[in-house]
Amino acid sequence: MRTTRHLTALLLAAALAPSPALAAEAPCYRGVNLSGGEYGERGGIYGTNYTYPSEDTISYFAEKGMTIIRLPFRWERLQPALGGRLDEDELKRIKDTIGLIRKHGMAVLLDPHNFGYYDKTQIGTAPATDAAFGDFWARLAVEFANQDGVLFGLMNEPHDIKATDWLDAANAAIRSIRAVGARNLILVPGTAWSGAGSWEKDVIGGANGTVMLGVRDPLDFYAYEVHQYLDADSSGTHPTCEGAGAAVAAINGVTAWLKQNHKRGFLGEFGASADKDCMSGLTEIYATMSDNSDVWLGWSYWAAGDWWPANEPFNVQPRKGPERPQMQLLAEVAKAGAGTCSAVKPAGK
């Protein structure tokens, strides 16, 4: 296996020149978040207040070598009443989008983009109880059970909830998914925004790196989803990357944790501007995951999407003019990857 230094040097040149020698290095899931379905309030009007990606956008990223799309949406729109049926119109929009993503040969990661809340009620607190969260996932899992290329991300960035309480909610959702016969790969975040940099720190109610080892999946077919940005406070809200070194160290730390505990990981959100320090940090993160594809299933960059603002410095949505350096690097690394992972565990295994 190449050293990280060697691979980093190769990737630094990736935005300018192809590197076919990387072909066997990258994790199998390599993609982007296509933002839009999570926009606005729960009562927003489709096409006015929120949107899902167009086929043009989807096909663009497929042509760039992406193998997965993380698809954010709002829990409240899909299930307007806790314990109630899924909204047929919203479910159809999600199904139609998944159909387009699959048509273009990519997997899709379903992402209820709710930060651990239903409206303003935190999961685990009535009426958004663990049982209600499990009910939601049972209903959603039935719709996509065992569909090739469909992964289940339990929740985007839970926060302000104790790690022990979040573990209970996550396990309730996993039980519900498996109870309806769905054998799809499940991605499990931690609390504290599921930050890679704080994974082994006791931020609230225990460290994710300790507490989340209590995940229980009867199929043992899950991975941990972490997020990591490169700005000074790891929030992904600044165009400069004073935190690039810390971000690289965080990914290295999670890599070591995954290996030590015989687990697998997925970097669900990361991103940066075209600033020199940002590009260097992105390159090192790609290199770390490529060097350790035995534990890293993949990554999805934040973000793109038809309505993603053109002036957003992290944006890689195709626009008129040249591609941004982040997109050039993203595409080069994506196209250098190996085959695809299985999103559904075969029966009997």
Side-chain angles (χ1 to χ4, degrees):
M1 183 173 288
R2 291 179 176 82
T3 64
T4 298
R5 179 179 297 178
H6 183 199
L7 186 54
T8 299
L10 287 171
L11 288 175
L12 278 170
L16 300 176
S19 302
L22 297 178
E25 297 285 354
C28 54
Y29 288 126
R30 307 173 299 278
V32 296
N33 288 260
L34 290 186
S35 182
E38 79 282 20
Y39 287 4
E41 299 302 319
R42 66 143 71 205
I45 299 171
Y46 179 70
T48 299
N49 304 111
Y50 73 104
T51 190
Y52 286 103
S54 65
E55 185 167 8
D56 284 347
T57 289
I58 290 168
S59 64
Y60 169 83
F61 287 104
E63 291 168 0
K64 291 296 178 181
M66 305 300 153
T67 63
I68 192 167
I69 298 298
R70 185 170 182 253
L71 187 67
F73 58 88
R74 285 200 65 153
W75 177 4
E76 301 90 346
R77 283 204 196 104
L78 185 56
Q79 189 182 40
L82 288 168
R85 298 176 60 183
L86 302 184
D87 181 84
E88 291 183 4
D89 291 337
E90 188 68 3
L91 180 60
K92 184 178 186 302
R93 283 187 276 268
I94 291 173
K95 285 185 173 181
D96 288 347
T97 304
I98 290 173
L100 290 174
I101 293 169
R102 298 296 296 138
K103 172 185 172 182
H104 289 277
M106 296 182 289
V108 59
L109 171 57
L110 293 176
D111 168 40
H113 209 78
N114 278 70
F115 303 93
Y117 287 78
Y118 182 92
D119 288 329
K120 296 182 179 180
T121 303
Q122 188 177 83
I123 294 175
T125 304
T129 60
D130 293 351
F133 186 47
D135 170 83
F136 165 70
W137 265 111
R139 294 175 187 274
L140 186 57
V142 163
E143 299 293 337
F144 300 101
N146 307 319
Q147 289 189 20
D148 186 36
V150 179
L151 290 68
F152 298 158
L154 292 184
M155 175 59 58
N156 178 68
E157 295 186 349
H159 66 93
D160 299 333
I161 180 173
K162 291 181 179 179
T164 49
D165 291 343
W166 169 245
L167 174 65
D168 290 342
N171 279 335
I174 293 169
R175 283 194 301 271
S176 294
I177 290 168
R178 300 308 186 208
V180 300
R183 305 176 66 84
N184 306 59
L185 179 65
I186 298 172
L187 297 188
V188 184
T191 189
W193 314 92
S194 207
S198 62
W199 191 252
E200 297 185 79
K201 299 176 182 177
D202 186 349
V203 177
I204 176 170
N208 285 323
T210 300
V211 174
M212 296 309 292
L213 287 173
V215 168
R216 295 293 177 261
D217 176 8
L219 293 186
D220 192 27
F221 195 56
Y222 68 94
Y224 292 96
E225 180 180 331
V226 298
H227 294 183
Q228 184 64 50
Y229 288 95
L230 285 73
D231 47 356
D233 60 0
S234 301
S235 66
T237 59
H238 305 95
T240 55
C241 289
E242 293 85 353
V248 171
I251 298 302
N252 287 336
V254 172
T255 301
W257 181 87
L258 292 169
K259 288 178 179 288
Q260 178 182 350
N261 292 287
H262 308 289
K263 303 297 183 182
R264 299 182 299 175
F266 182 88
L267 183 59
E269 284 188 25
F270 66 107
S273 73
D275 174 86
K276 180 181 177 182
D277 290 339
C278 298
M279 291 296 292
S280 178
L282 286 175
T283 298
E284 289 194 55
I285 287 172
Y286 287 132
T288 296
M289 289 189 289
S290 293
D291 269 352
N292 296 280
S293 57
D294 57 324
V295 294
W296 285 105
L297 289 179
W299 41 261
S300 53
Y301 180 93
W302 185 273
D306 293 73
W307 289 3
W308 199 239
N311 62 353
E312 162 56 53
F314 296 7
N315 182 13
V316 294
Q317 175 71 15
R319 307 285 182 186
K320 292 182 180 179
E323 290 178 335
R324 292 188 175 183
Q326 306 100 299
M327 186 63 238
Q328 296 175 30
L329 178 58
L330 191 70
E332 181 62 27
V333 178
K335 288 184 176 180
T340 58
C341 300
S342 174
V344 177
K345 188 170 186 176
K349 294 187 177 180

